[in-house]
Amino acid sequence: PLIFYRSIARTAHNLLSDHGKLFFEVHHLWAEATAEMLRKEGYGDVEIRIDGFGKQRMICCQKIKK
């Protein structure tokens, strides 16, 4: 279920400027796994955000300068 998120994260890592941000809307059941994948792909400040219904629905992260 993370194949598309991983592909976007890898592509964005090459396109974002240092400290650029990436935002995802995710299925609440996969929020934690998506956040962990982003950390492994080299993103920092990974934050899961809650939607209006109290579900983990959004993720914000930042490209770490290499």
Side-chain angles (χ1 to χ4, degrees), residues 11-22:
T11 299
H13 204 66
N14 294 323
L15 298 174
L16 286 172
S17 60
D18 291 340
H19 308 293
K21 293 193 176 200
L22 182 61

Side-chain angles (χ1 to χ4, degrees), residues 7-59:
S7 178
I8 292 167
R10 287 178 178 171
T11 299
H13 204 66
N14 294 323
L15 298 174
L16 286 172
S17 60
D18 291 340
H19 308 293
K21 293 193 176 200
L22 182 61
F23 295 84
F24 282 123
E25 181 177 1
V26 297
H27 190 284
H28 65 96
L29 295 178
W30 295 102
E32 294 290 344
T34 305
E36 183 58 29
M37 177 273 299
L38 289 167
R39 288 182 194 97
K40 288 180 181 177
E41 290 293 329
Y43 289 90
D45 296 328
V46 179
E47 177 185 348
I48 298 174
R49 298 183 180 178
I50 307 299
D51 69 7
F53 298 101
K55 295 188 183 266
Q56 296 179 322
R57 186 69 68 183
M58 296 155 281
I59 297 179

